Amino acid sequence: MSPVPEETTAIDYVMEAASGAHFSGLRVDGLLTSSSSSPRASPTPTPTHFSTPTPLDSTALKQPFVIGVSGGTASGKTTVCDMIIQQLHDHRVVLINQDSFYRGLTLEEMKHVHEYNFDHPDAFDTEQLLECVEKLKSGMSVQVPIYDFKTHQRCSDSFRQVNASDVIILEGILVFHDARVRNLMSMKIFVDTDADVRLARRIRRDTVERGRDINSVLEQYAKFVKPAFDDFVLPSKKYADVIIPRGGDNHVAIDLIVQHIRTKLGQHDLCKIYPNVYVIQSTFQIRGMHTLIRDKEISKHDFVFYSDRLIRLVVEHGLGHLPFTEKQIVTPTGSVYTGVDFCKKLCGVSIIRSGESMENALRACCKGIKIGKILIHRDGDNGKQLIYEKLPKDISERHVLLLDPVLATGNSANQAIELLIQKGVPESHIIFLNLISAPEGIHCVCKRFPSLKIVTSEIDLSLNEEYRVIPGLGEFGDRYFGTDD
């Protein structure tokens, strides 16, 4: 690995080393990747003002990531899906099989079942499949039909309940055939397996699992399956974003696909607009702690405990954005270890009073760090007014961690940031740490100060008419310091 530039940040360096792959139209054997970036111009800071946040569209909810997995019969599609699901164990993932949407055969079709082409697009109820995926994408639960491969009928009194999830995997030989279904997908994967291997797998599956005669399986393969593959399945390969040779045996490809999915899942839409906004990766632990501190029935003791845990995670993540230098040390074994040296000139600045709740976590991570204070008073007639500040005399030489647990309208943050810049702190040396952010606040701060960084644990939906964060967690300072009574 090449030496780390002196003014590189830890997060920037890691992201550069593992830059996001562009999968479009690639054949994945070792999964070739490429990345591109374009410089972003920094607009000139606008004069000081306090804006009224523009209400955002409350319907713009984050939609699930829909993955289409196609390929020939017995190509290993289900195995690929299972491996993706296993690696995404900390997310809600549902698998929808196209086979569940076979049309039930009529009495006349049942009389000539051996002449029926189950691999033709007309064999599926595409309209119901489309309706099912659209409902899941909109956050609704659906009932997926259950198909009996021995009777060739749907179980009229039995359905599989599928709830809204983070990831929806749609698997089947013809899921790429209909453009309406394709357009619902965030990623399209084609599993490419040798025809002889697929035939051997199909014989084993249809005879052992579905109780069919081997001669009928071979006859069906030659008469329907292979021609349908050539006419419908193979041509749909051109729509794939990722092509995986050898199916589930290609662990490298699947690992990289999962990495790409995780990146997309962890990236809020605002992070795509403002690359200086960072949301720590969501896990069930983090979501569980958010569930607790947002609950109005939680005790003060538990609110403080879980808030402190979340604040510590945000602080640790924020420290990863500070500059560092490469450093070699000698270990007790006499070996040389090449590591990094932390940035020494740091300062925390809390926006009184809620920001003071974040000071203990910062002190626990940075021994002896200096802490400054800024008090901004909300005046109904004159907007927000700065009435107190106490900052280190050499603050202009330091990297500043600005502390406020909730970013709502962004007006208080903007006034605090403006003060720091007036004191000589470069905008790029300010990292704003908070637990939750409203989209309106992110827009307000990032448009005015595009060079600072915002680190948060969750971005909420919006602000209400009273400029409170929704769903939010109420008045953080009152709940944390026990003055909400």
Side-chain angles (χ1 to χ4, degrees), residues 56-63 268-269 461:
L56 298 182
D57 182 6
S58 61
T59 62
L61 297 174
K62 192 167 185 179
Q63 291 191 333
H268 192 279
D269 290 340
L461 182 60

Side-chain angles (χ1 to χ4, degrees), residues 301-431:
H301 178 270
D302 286 345
F303 179 83
V304 171
F305 178 81
Y306 290 107
S307 293
D308 285 345
R309 282 189 62 189
L310 272 172
I311 291 168
R312 178 70 177 262
L313 292 173
V314 171
V315 169
E316 293 278 11
H317 195 89
L319 293 173
H321 291 274
L322 292 169
F324 66 95
T325 54
E326 190 175 277
K327 181 179 181 180
Q328 287 189 338
I329 53 93
V330 178
T331 72
T333 64
S335 304
V336 175
Y337 175 82
T338 302
V340 296
D341 196 13
F342 293 122
C343 175
K344 295 295 193 298
K345 301 283 283 185
L346 293 180
C347 177
V349 175
S350 57
I351 299 178
I352 301 175
R353 140 182 92 131
S354 296
E356 293 176 311
S357 65
M358 305 178 73
E359 292 177 4
N360 287 337
L362 182 58
R363 289 191 180 98
C365 296
C366 304
K367 183 180 179 181
I369 189 172
K370 292 191 174 183
I371 302 288
K373 310 273 188 179
I374 295 177
L375 174 59
I376 299 170
H377 174 66
R378 183 182 291 109
D379 189 313
D381 297 327
N382 302 315
K384 297 181 185 296
Q385 297 179 342
L386 176 68
I387 61 173
Y388 176 80
E389 57 91 358
K390 181 66 175 178
L391 303 171
K393 294 181 180 179
D394 61 347
I395 192 169
S396 62
E397 304 171 11
R398 297 176 178 271
H399 286 263
V400 175
L401 299 168
L402 184 62
L403 312 175
D404 196 359
V406 179
L407 171 58
T409 64
N411 289 335
S412 295
N414 278 356
Q415 189 164 359
I417 295 164
E418 185 64 42
L419 173 64
L420 293 172
I421 292 174
Q422 290 173 4
K423 294 290 185 179
V425 181
E427 181 184 322
S428 59
H429 286 194
I430 302 172
I431 301 176

Side-chain angles (χ1 to χ4, degrees), residues 114-117 217-228:
H114 296 299
E115 299 297 321
Y116 188 81
N117 188 355
V217 173
L218 292 173
E219 181 181 349
Q220 184 187 37
Y221 182 85
K223 191 172 184 177
F224 298 117
V225 178
K226 188 178 185 306

